[in-house]
Amino acid sequence: MKTSKVEKNVTWSLTLCFVLISLITISFPFCESFDYGQALSHSLLYFESQRSGHLPYNQRVNWRHHSGLSDGLEQGVDLVGGYYDAGDNVKFGLPMAFTITLLSWAAIEYGEKIASAGEYAHTMESIKWGTDYFIKAHTKPNTLWVEVGDGETDHYCWQRPEDMTTSRRAYKIDENNPGSEVAGETAAALASASILFRKTNPHYSQLLLHHAQELFEFGDKFRGKYDESVEEVKGYYTSVSGYMDELLWAALWLYKATEKEEYLKYVLENAYDFGGTTWAMTEFSWDVKYAGVQAIASMLLMQEKHKKHEVILKQYRSKANYYICACLNLNNASKNNVDRTPGGLLYIRQWNNIQYVANAAFLLTVYSDHLLATNQKLQCQKSEVDPNEIFSFAKSQVDYILGSNRMNMSYLVGYGPKFPQRVHHRGASIESYKENKCFIGCTQGFDNWYGNPKPNPNILIGALVGGPDNNDQFRDARGNYEQLEACTYNTAALVGVFARLYNLE
């Protein structure tokens, strides 16, 4: 029987479709369906891996043990506790505080959704582990201990935190050595956390608020860059944006926590001089808070009591919209948009790029929900955008992170069939203290573990590594710290997004 030309074309088209579907399935084996609930659970486990101090009875990450139990002793202050920021054993105050602010904001926005996934208690534990430490570190109204250990000596050694022989010297800011960035960010962390503890632990909530208010007043009254007072932080967490964004950020969180007009007045009166309504950003990070400030200020516009401030708040909104539109590639000039890899991942810079992606995903999710709740659309230079489109893009970034990418790699450790095996992390890369209580020295760690090509003996579940390069390529080698080191603020940014996505299911 003869086959007509039309039938041949249909057969050919169907064959092509099946081939394309097969190729897509091979390229992205689990791109269609992700277990966001598991991703959320994993992300909260990660914070237990990063704990410093005396670990609690309910510690779930059992390859870790007590560490840093004499922190602050040399300076006569108790600085036991808190978090190691990444794969090293230093406690850096600025990124630690930003981590807690992100976690608190996630719980404020998506607390019910986190609870529905069964992870609210773990979220609150993660936050309190940080806030307990900040209370200790804030020893006087105008004194805050902002670092324990130093990057230089720490990077000479490859040791488990349980074996540390490196310097544990502590560094502080005070009236004579100001540090408005870290004072402001710590105030923001404590103020945002105080909102969460108001119902379940009102006394603790008030204590957090008290410290937050004192720290904000200290940071504002004695203005100065913290990396000029604590030079040991330079090269690790240098403040490029300065401290004005942190002061605006802290004031906004204090306003949300107290509803005192003095804090809103601060945000409005300093809007122009501090760059809140003048800086148009394409980055939101532990250093650059402007986009977060602008987004929160924008959300105040929908409340009737803020109508009288709408002129300035609309200026804030204009800059918040710029950031969102930049992520969506909808500003007119390409230089005003965020670059993307060929696979569609936002790309800011080479070292730990995924932190910017995670922060963007969170901010876009919160902003899209705000627009949806108030029946608004986003006005970009190129087009008008529905809030669902914003959220869809945020989801695409998270899905890329979880495995929908050219490497078929989940960049969230422990999630999916393929994830990084050699995370640049001292504790994870050396045999667990629970299994081997023998002391492992500074150079011994380098000799026996750092250069070992085998996978890490301990899986750093929930760690979000630095991620691929600008061509979507990724090399799983422990020495590749630009792509293989994970940080607390990477993972913290996705807690709220995972909860939001989980509830879609």
Side-chain angles (χ1 to χ4, degrees):
M1 186 175 76
K2 284 189 175 181
T3 306
S4 71
K5 192 173 182 180
V6 172
E7 286 173 325
K8 284 181 179 177
N9 287 340
V10 169
T11 304
W12 184 85
S13 298
L14 286 170
T15 303
L16 181 61
C17 284
F18 283 125
V19 169
L20 288 171
I21 289 168
S22 299
L23 286 172
I24 291 168
T25 305
I26 291 166
S27 300
F28 305 128
F30 56 115
C31 67
E32 292 299 321
S33 179
F34 293 101
D35 187 340
Y36 300 112
Q38 185 187 71
L40 174 61
S41 298
H42 280 7
S43 67
L44 290 163
L45 266 175
Y46 168 65
F47 295 102
E48 295 189 20
S49 302
Q50 296 302 107
R51 284 172 170 170
S52 180
H54 194 281
L55 302 185
Y57 72 94
N58 61 348
Q59 170 83 8
R60 295 175 295 163
V61 179
N62 55 22
W63 54 266
R64 282 296 322 284
H65 200 57
H66 313 313
S67 64
L69 299 183
S70 61
D71 283 357
L73 184 64
E74 192 180 323
Q75 286 74 33
V77 58
D78 178 8
L79 295 175
V80 176
Y83 288 107
Y84 303 116
D85 73 301
D88 53 23
N89 298 325
V90 184
K91 294 191 297 202
F92 291 104
L94 181 59
M96 192 194 306
F98 183 59
T99 296
I100 300 305
T101 308
L102 285 176
L103 284 172
S104 298
W105 193 2
I108 289 167
E109 295 287 342
Y110 302 114
E112 289 183 6
K113 293 176 171 58
I114 293 171
S116 72
E119 293 294 340
Y120 193 77
H122 291 139
T123 303
M124 295 300 281
E125 286 170 6
S126 299
I127 292 167
K128 194 171 185 294
W129 193 267
T131 54
D132 283 351
Y133 176 76
F134 295 139
I135 290 170
K136 285 182 174 184
H138 185 213
T139 50
K140 295 178 184 176
N142 296 339
T143 300
L144 178 67
W145 295 86
V146 298
E147 185 177 335
V148 180
D150 74 86
E152 186 173 352
T153 59
D154 180 87
H155 282 59
Y156 283 136
C157 288
W158 194 261
Q159 283 179 295
R160 303 175 298 194
E162 293 84 359
D163 292 329
M164 282 185 292
T165 55
T166 50
S167 168
R168 299 307 288 170
R169 180 183 170 186
Y171 302 87
K172 67 179 178 178
I173 56 169
D174 55 27
E175 296 173 13
N176 299 316
N177 304 282
S180 300
E181 297 96 338
V182 67
E185 185 57 65
T186 308
L190 295 170
S192 55
S194 76
I195 297 171
L196 293 171
F197 285 100
R198 193 174 293 153
K199 286 184 179 179
T200 58
N201 194 340
H203 173 74
Y204 188 67
S205 174
Q206 280 301 312
L207 180 63
L208 295 177
L209 200 53
H210 170 73
H211 281 278
Q213 289 171 316
E214 281 194 345
L215 281 165
F216 173 69
E217 187 176 338
F218 164 46
D220 186 43
K221 186 176 180 180
F222 300 95
R223 295 180 185 175
K225 286 183 88 240
Y226 93 115
D227 53 30
E228 292 177 359
S229 296
V230 182
E231 292 192 358
E232 287 76 7
V233 82
K234 285 185 175 176
Y236 303 97
Y237 288 101
T238 306
S239 174
V240 177
S241 70
Y243 55 76
M244 293 179 181
D245 51 337
E246 275 85 9
L247 291 177
L248 291 172
W249 180 242
L252 264 176
W253 279 112
L254 278 164
Y255 177 64
K256 287 174 73 69
T258 65
E259 295 192 354
K260 289 185 177 179
E261 286 295 317
E262 63 189 89
Y263 295 117
L264 179 59
K265 185 179 178 184
Y266 186 95
V267 174
L268 297 171
E269 290 184 350
N270 291 294
Y272 182 85
D273 291 341
F274 280 19
T277 55
T278 54
W279 280 106
M281 307 306 300
T282 56
E283 169 190 328
F284 176 49
S285 67
W286 61 264
D287 179 30
V288 187
K289 315 292 162 49
Y290 282 113
V293 168
Q294 292 154 355
I296 293 176
S298 301
M299 295 174 198
L300 298 178
L301 264 173
M302 293 314 298
Q303 298 177 32
E304 190 62 36
K305 64 181 179 179
H306 295 131
K307 293 294 183 185
K308 57 187 175 183
H309 307 304
E310 69 175 359
V311 172
I312 297 176
L313 291 177
K314 281 182 176 178
Q315 292 172 11
Y316 272 112
R317 184 175 66 184
S318 170
K319 294 300 183 286
N321 288 353
Y322 179 95
Y323 172 81
I324 305 296
C325 296
C327 292
L328 297 173
N329 199 31
L330 290 176
N331 287 325
N332 281 336
S334 58
K335 66 178 181 179
N336 297 332
N337 292 315
V338 181
D339 290 338
R340 297 186 193 180
T341 67
L345 187 73
L346 292 172
Y347 193 82
I348 300 288
R349 55 182 62 91
Q350 185 175 348
W351 194 330
N352 191 18
N353 180 64
I354 257 179
Q355 65 170 306
Y356 309 107
V357 180
N359 290 335
F362 177 64
L363 208 53
L364 265 66
T365 299
V366 171
Y367 205 72
S368 65
D369 283 344
H370 160 73
L371 292 175
L372 197 62
T374 52
N375 197 30
Q376 297 181 78
K377 291 188 177 182
L378 176 69
Q379 303 298 327
C380 292
Q381 293 172 346
K382 287 186 178 179
S383 66
E384 182 181 76
V385 187
D386 183 270
N388 289 320
E389 293 177 55
I390 303 172
F391 180 59
S392 179
F393 179 73
K395 180 180 181 296
S396 75
Q397 298 300 292
V398 173
D399 288 352
Y400 183 109
I401 287 169
L402 293 181
S404 184
N405 56 65
R406 294 181 173 191
M407 298 294 292
N408 302 331
M409 173 77 75
S410 163
Y411 295 107
L412 187 76
V413 178
Y415 181 90
K418 183 182 177 185
F419 53 84
Q421 301 292 315
R422 299 163 188 82
V423 182
H424 184 89
H425 188 279
R426 285 157 176 75
S429 65
I430 302 174
E431 191 176 12
S432 168
Y433 182 83
K434 296 286 183 74
E435 295 180 12
N436 179 4
K437 288 185 169 59
C438 294
F439 173 76
I440 295 175
C442 176
T443 56
Q444 188 183 354
F446 274 116
D447 294 342
N448 297 345
W449 299 99
Y450 181 80
N452 192 327
K454 293 181 180 179
N456 288 351
N458 309 304
I459 300 176
L460 194 65
I461 292 175
L464 186 58
V465 299
D469 63 19
N470 59 347
N471 286 313
D472 300 298
Q473 297 302 302
F474 181 79
R475 184 170 58 88
D476 189 2
R478 198 169 294 112
N480 180 16
Y481 49 83
E482 291 185 349
Q483 294 187 320
L484 260 295
E485 192 163 23
C487 302
T488 56
Y489 42 88
N490 294 18
T491 296
L494 288 187
V495 168
V497 190
F498 286 147
R500 175 73 167 79
L501 288 166
Y502 168 77
N503 279 263
L504 282 179
E505 297 171 351

